[in-house]
Amino acid sequence: MPPIADPSIPATLIPGDGIGPEVTEATLEVLSAVGDPFRWEPQKAGMAGVAACGDPLPAETLESIRKTRLALKGPLTTPVGGGYRSSNVRLREEFQLYANLRPARTMVPGGRYEDIDLVLVRENLEGLYVGFEHYVPVGDDPRAVAVASGVNTRAGSRRIVEFAFDYAQKHGRRKVTLVHKANVLKALTGIFLEAGKEVAQRYEGRIACDERIIDACAMQLVMNPWQFDVIVTTNLFGDILSDEIAGLVGGLGMAPAANIGVDAAIFEAVHGSAPDIAGKGIANPLALMLAAALMLDHVGEQDKARRLRGAIDRVLREDKVRTGDLGGKATTREFSAAIVRRLKERG
Ligand code: NAI
Ligand code: MG
């Protein structure tokens, strides 16, 4: 007789700080109702990490992610003072998380735009964010001139565009838009455009490709966001566009993100630890739930991801159960209970 397969996938769970534990509990509840495929290893980071081990990113937590290669992360409070580097940047470097994926979808009707459904893919390791910066002294001003160098590689550009096309193909998307500034930054973003077009050729006839200059793209996102499907761009442009896109569908509070790399994939809520409402049981758990849905997609559980998103949509649109930030009165628990009810009714 063949051994009974263990369906659970080891994954690291970092509840994080502030509202982190509350939204994590709510997320685990809905995952469990949809059939949680993950075997969770709870780990500490942020202030919880500082309290336990004097490090916002303890070695044990890193070790766990190194082993599971998968993590779901709540918000981390960045300790002020103490010279700590941002844990998010450390994770990005440690696990070479080169792709930042930020989907944006209209969920609550009656906002600025209806029916938005687009995905931004941002290169996460290169560009102007490599931190090659210095000052040049002139006369008695030691910081008279500031210089920054950006670094984009052909391999890195190819890799991120390949990721975008591969994502588009797997998720039934029709078009990828390459966003650049190759008319001015001819080398730095020209190499990205060139590599991007090369990759696009391989998908010809299956996935369409077009291109936009960053400034025009920023405007068109406001005027006619429906023309876009998957957008892929370099680090700095992606940083800006990802927040712009979150703004089109109601802000950062409901935005999930995936950071996908060579050595691991880390899924998170984009919002912070919200110290002003922590412990009150009123936080909106949607961002982390949607991050969990991205994680289900990532491990090939698309059906569970679809069911989870469907239940969330019904609760928001039909049941009109919403947390305070969405104009409702529901507590975190009432909100997750409503989603669990919808998941159970669909069997
Ligand atoms: P924040 O996102 O925590 O809060 C901004 C505002 O949005 C607050 O009024 C908060 O109550 C509200 N809010 C945020 N998430 C919410 C939710 N799920 N439901 C209902 N309301 C929500 O940003 P803030 O105040 O600038 O940062 C607080 C802490 O979080 C800081 O230590 C910061 O460094 C950290 N942070 C961590 C991030 C991460 O780990 N990815 C991202 C952003 C901030
Ligand atoms: Mg940003």
Side-chain angles (χ1 to χ4, degrees), residues 312-328:
I312 289 171
D313 280 347
R314 288 170 150 224
V315 165
L316 290 173
R317 288 168 190 264
E318 294 166 36
D319 305 344
K320 300 200 167 52
V321 176
R322 295 172 191 172
T323 47
D325 58 309
L326 302 178

Side-chain angles (χ1 to χ4, degrees), residues 95-179:
F95 297 106
Q96 290 291 297
L97 306 173
Y98 66 88
N100 182 262
L101 186 73
R102 289 270 293 265
R105 197 162 60 84
T106 305
M107 300 188 70
V108 181
R112 278 198 183 79
Y113 301 90
E114 300 296 337
D115 303 322
I116 287 193
D117 182 10
L118 57 92
V119 177
L120 183 102
V121 176
R122 162 188 173 191
E123 203 291 324
N124 227 1
L125 299 175
E126 301 194 327
L128 274 163
Y129 286 15
V130 293
F132 292 171
E133 291 194 294
H134 66 277
Y135 290 102
V136 181
V138 176
D140 57 5
D141 184 353
R143 298 182 160 195
V145 180
V147 180
S149 302
V151 175
N152 283 333
T153 63
R154 190 179 302 284
S157 301
R158 219 177 253 154
R159 178 166 75 172
I160 194 68
V161 178
E162 269 163 7
F163 177 91
F165 274 92
D166 185 51
Y167 178 90
Q169 183 161 308
K170 280 195 186 125
H171 293 86
R173 303 256 170 192
R174 305 166 319 277
K175 186 175 76 171
V176 173
T177 303
L178 306 166
V179 175

Side-chain angles (χ1 to χ4, degrees), residues 129-335:
Y129 286 15
V130 293
F132 292 171
E133 291 194 294
H134 66 277
Y135 290 102
V136 181
V138 176
D140 57 5
D141 184 353
R143 298 182 160 195
V145 180
V147 180
S149 302
V151 175
N152 283 333
T153 63
R154 190 179 302 284
S157 301
R158 219 177 253 154
R159 178 166 75 172
I160 194 68
V161 178
E162 269 163 7
F163 177 91
F165 274 92
D166 185 51
Y167 178 90
Q169 183 161 308
K170 280 195 186 125
H171 293 86
R173 303 256 170 192
R174 305 166 319 277
K175 186 175 76 171
V176 173
T177 303
L178 306 166
V179 175
H180 61 88
K181 187 77 186 178
N183 52 330
V184 175
L185 300 169
K186 290 189 164 68
L188 187 66
T189 86
I191 198 172
F192 168 81
L193 180 61
E194 205 177 283
K197 283 181 171 168
E198 221 180 87
V199 172
Q201 275 178 2
R202 282 194 261 129
Y203 289 84
E204 226 177 285
R206 285 177 292 159
I207 292 161
C209 180
D210 62 0
E211 55 167 289
R212 290 282 188 290
I213 293 172
I214 175 65
D215 38 352
C217 179
M219 179 191 68
Q220 286 168 14
L221 272 167
V222 172
M223 296 190 57
N224 175 15
W226 301 278
Q227 68 185 290
F228 296 105
D229 194 355
V230 175
I231 295 175
V232 60
T233 189
T234 48
N235 206 341
L236 171 62
F237 300 155
D239 189 3
I240 299 167
L241 287 190
S242 57
D243 280 16
E244 184 186 359
I245 286 167
L248 299 176
V249 297
L252 296 177
M254 286 159 60
N259 295 284
I260 295 173
V262 182
D263 302 318
I266 301 180
F267 300 82
E268 64 183 351
V270 171
H271 62 70
S273 54
D276 51 332
I277 58 165
K280 294 185 178 162
I282 56 170
N284 181 353
L286 267 183
L288 198 66
M289 288 179 182
L290 294 169
L294 289 175
M295 193 163 164
L296 288 170
D297 279 335
H298 181 76
V299 300
E301 296 274 14
Q302 273 91 353
D303 184 54
K304 287 179 181 175
R306 214 172 296 126
R307 280 174 52 216
L308 178 53
R309 292 190 187 102
I312 289 171
D313 280 347
R314 288 170 150 224
V315 165
L316 290 173
R317 288 168 190 264
E318 294 166 36
D319 305 344
K320 300 200 167 52
V321 176
R322 295 172 191 172
T323 47
D325 58 309
L326 302 178
K329 287 199 175 72
T331 62
T332 311
R333 284 227 166 91
E334 286 161 355
F335 190 61

